[in-house]
Amino acid sequence: MTRVAVIGAGPSGLAQLRAFQSAAKKGADIPEVVCFEKQSDWGGLWNYTWRTGLDEYGEPVHGSMYRYLWSNGPKECLEFADYSFEEHFGKPIASYPPRAVLWDYIKGRVEKADVRKWVRFSTPVRMVRFDEETRKFTVTAHDRVEDRMYDEEFDYVVVATGHFSTPNVPYFEGVKTFNGRVLHAHDFRDALEFKGKDILIVGRSYSAEDIGSQCWKYGAKSVTTSYRSKPMGFKWPENFEERPLLTKLENKTAYFLDGSSKQVDALILCTGYQHHFPFLPDELRLKTANRLWADGLYKGVIFDKNPQLFYIGMQDQFYTFNMFDVQVWWARDVMMGRIELPPEEELKANFDMWRAREETLEDAEQMIWYQGDYVKELLAETDYPSFDIEGTNKTFMAWEHHKAENIMGFRDHAYRSLMTGNLSPKHHTPWVEALDDSVEEYLRN
């Protein structure tokens, strides 16, 4: 019997389980699927942990999410085409749910699909080897509860371990002797820690924007962000400012490229993440920057050096859950022999076409349409329920526009579901005033 190993039970890995279960439900013979998950529950990053550094078993903590995190994009753009928010919650809900609400939604689909029995929890993968002669993988896994290591053979491996867990940490002169707290966004957990404090954030992407906004919302005295390339350029409130790159720290004084300086209590490095796969040998390991068209992957999914190895969700992302869905449906169909891979020259030509177009992209709008077109290409080749890509792109455009209009108020807008056609209600409390991020409070009428 064909066996498939899925590494990781976050949104991408769970989508892969759902894809196989969906085929089985329609009467197909599916392979045996085994999913290895390092954490004790599923949901990946959405499964919040208070821990930082190492977990209870000494494994690097996967979680990068923090308390009071709300979706930073419209939920309408990440809705599953086969399981709507309305089906899960029994009513339309507002457009920017907090983490716990999204975690509940992700879990709902796989609970309905009844695939938990396929997952081995608290079981990190230590190594994957490929035998050129037998054309099989040997996966070495470590059951942390029993503290037992074992090997199993598989025909296919799907890597769904994400790429927002291993921090990229630059060095700044004087950081060793800085008299305040220094942390990477990966270890940020609670904005209340910085209430009444002057904080400095290095970075200009989503983490900097959101952690800065959180700290401001929960009472930081001031927020200063420092950019390398260009400022984010939003209309920030008065105790929130952007400055050029941090050049050095002396005691508690930060110095910037424009010659200015500021006293700060904490330094939060929102400096991105690395693609990190310590369980893969050189010949199977993806090496890529965080970009819309990743290196080394045909169709954005299949490893160019081994067609039995798949990587899900390894791109930089505007599209998320439903892009992972079309990727895993496509990977499933390759594994089940429904899609015959074209000759390598064709795959390479397809790769080169997407890469060439990626290199012409100039702004977020073009990037969104680009990724939408990629989702459309895979969508056309599988039986994943079709959905309105153009409408999704337009919702992303509205989101960008609302952020430019009011960075602290964009979450107060509501959009139409691309799956049900229903307009989402506005949330009962403006985001700035909504301090309780629980599921109960969010769903309260």
Side-chain angles (χ1 to χ4, degrees):
M1 182 168 185
T2 304
R3 302 188 81 221
V4 176
V6 177
I7 308 176
S12 296
L14 293 178
Q16 189 69 79
L17 305 190
R18 164 65 181 140
F20 280 114
Q21 177 268 341
S22 162
K25 198 175 173 209
K26 291 180 181 177
D29 284 332
I30 62 164
E32 184 189 350
V33 180
V34 177
C35 178
F36 298 95
E37 170 53 49
K38 181 167 86 172
Q39 301 181 101
S40 59
D41 201 355
W42 55 18
L45 291 174
W46 299 92
N47 170 22
Y48 172 80
T49 175
W50 60 272
R51 295 176 188 275
T52 58
L54 303 176
D55 71 10
E56 62 271 45
Y57 297 112
E59 306 294 330
V61 166
H62 182 74
S64 295
M65 291 210 180
Y66 33 91
R67 293 185 68 194
Y68 332 121
L69 178 146
W70 293 49
S71 178
N72 63 351
K75 77 176 200 306
E76 289 72 21
C77 296
L78 55 74
E79 193 163 13
F80 300 133
D82 63 341
Y83 186 74
S84 67
F85 279 96
E86 223 167 300
E87 177 183 346
H88 180 72
F89 290 106
K91 62 179 184 182
I93 67 166
S95 289
Y96 293 92
R99 177 206 60 81
V101 176
L102 278 169
W103 186 39
D104 197 72
Y105 174 61
I106 294 162
K107 291 189 291 184
R109 178 168 74 157
V110 281
E111 282 162 3
K112 181 186 173 191
D114 192 27
V115 291
R116 197 172 175 98
K117 53 189 178 283
W118 298 353
V119 186
R120 299 180 191 174
F121 292 103
S122 303
T123 305
V125 167
R126 295 287 182 231
M127 186 50 66
V128 179
R129 299 258 178 235
F130 184 71
D131 186 320
E132 292 289 348
E133 282 175 24
T134 63
R135 306 294 302 165
K136 283 187 190 292
F137 295 95
T138 300
V139 171
T140 304
H142 191 167
D143 176 337
R144 295 306 324 235
V145 179
E146 302 287 328
D147 197 15
R148 181 177 69 88
M149 284 175 89
Y150 58 89
D151 289 352
E152 281 187 24
E153 277 198 343
F154 293 92
D155 301 276
Y156 296 98
V157 170
V158 178
V159 180
T161 50
H163 57 95
F164 296 111
S165 275
T166 302
N168 172 59
V169 185
Y171 172 77
F172 291 98
E173 188 188 325
V175 71
K176 286 182 190 171
T177 50
F178 174 62
N179 298 139
R181 173 111 149 86
V182 181
L183 67 157
H184 185 275
H186 174 61
D187 296 322
F188 179 86
R189 289 292 179 270
D190 194 329
L192 286 172
E193 177 185 343
F194 303 102
K195 189 174 182 168
K197 295 199 157 63
D198 295 301
I199 64 163
L200 171 61
I201 292 176
V202 177
R204 63 162 315 277
S205 195
Y206 296 111
S207 291
E209 175 194 307
D210 197 59
I211 287 175
S213 299
Q214 294 285 358
C215 289
W216 176 83
K217 172 176 168 177
Y218 283 89
K221 187 176 167 191
S222 73
V223 177
T224 306
T225 68
S226 162
Y227 55 86
R228 186 176 52 185
S229 50
K230 59 177 195 278
M232 292 180 262
F234 294 113
K235 297 169 190 159
W236 299 109
E238 60 187 58
N239 53 343
F240 194 127
E241 58 167 346
E242 300 196 71
R243 298 204 189 186
L245 193 60
L246 173 67
T247 50
K248 65 174 179 182
L249 297 152
E250 271 176 24
N251 300 327
K252 276 193 158 184
T253 307
Y255 292 89
F256 303 94
L257 204 53
D258 60 357
S260 68
S261 64
K262 185 171 173 71
Q263 288 269 319
V264 293
D265 298 304
L267 172 65
I268 305 176
L269 301 170
C270 295
T271 45
Y273 291 90
Q274 313 174 40
H275 285 66
H276 185 64
F277 310 103
F279 51 89
L280 292 170
D282 288 357
E283 65 275 13
L284 300 175
R285 193 163 76 247
L286 176 68
K287 294 179 181 179
T288 183
N290 187 31
R291 55 190 299 172
L292 289 175
W293 194 255
D295 294 332
L297 297 177
Y298 291 139
K299 302 288 278 192
V301 174
I302 203 160
F303 191 51
D304 61 4
K305 297 184 184 69
N306 188 322
Q308 289 162 252
L309 178 61
F310 301 83
Y311 283 89
I312 308 301
M314 291 300 163
Q315 295 71 15
D316 195 6
Q317 294 149 13
F318 285 93
Y319 278 78
T320 52
F321 299 174
N322 45 37
M323 176 172 77
F324 309 155
D325 279 6
V326 298
Q327 289 182 327
V328 298
W329 251 254
W330 191 87
R332 173 202 74 186
D333 287 353
V334 173
M335 290 183 255
M336 289 177 62
R338 294 175 173 187
I339 289 177
E340 197 181 328
L341 282 182
E344 187 156 13
E345 311 76 89
E346 267 180 56
L347 287 169
K348 190 164 172 9
N350 177 273
F351 179 98
D352 292 343
M353 174 197 78
W354 284 106
R355 171 54 56 88
R357 183 175 159 196
E358 180 205 34
E359 286 171 347
T360 67
L361 303 173
E362 284 170 14
D363 54 33
E365 185 166 339
Q366 291 178 8
M367 291 173 186
I368 289 161
W369 286 91
Y370 173 89
Q371 198 153 54
D373 285 347
Y374 164 64
V375 171
K376 208 183 276 183
E377 178 176 289
L378 291 186
L379 188 57
E381 297 176 34
T382 71
D383 70 349
Y384 186 71
S386 195
F387 65 99
D388 181 359
I389 303 285
E390 194 165 322
T392 307
N393 292 344
K394 286 178 173 164
T395 304
F396 274 126
M397 297 297 127
W399 162 69
E400 290 276 353
H401 175 74
H402 289 143
K403 280 174 68 177
E405 226 169 60
N406 181 0
I407 191 62
M408 296 304 179
F410 74 90
R411 287 184 173 97
D412 303 332
H413 290 274
Y415 311 93
R416 195 171 291 285
S417 166
L418 283 313
M419 306 306 169
T420 67
N422 294 334
L423 183 64
S424 301
K426 290 202 168 184
H427 190 46
H428 54 64
T429 308
W431 177 77
V432 165
E433 293 161 30
L435 302 180
D436 177 348
D437 64 340
S438 67
V439 177
E440 299 71 31
E441 171 61 16
Y442 190 75
L443 298 178
R444 172 173 71 77
N445 283 331

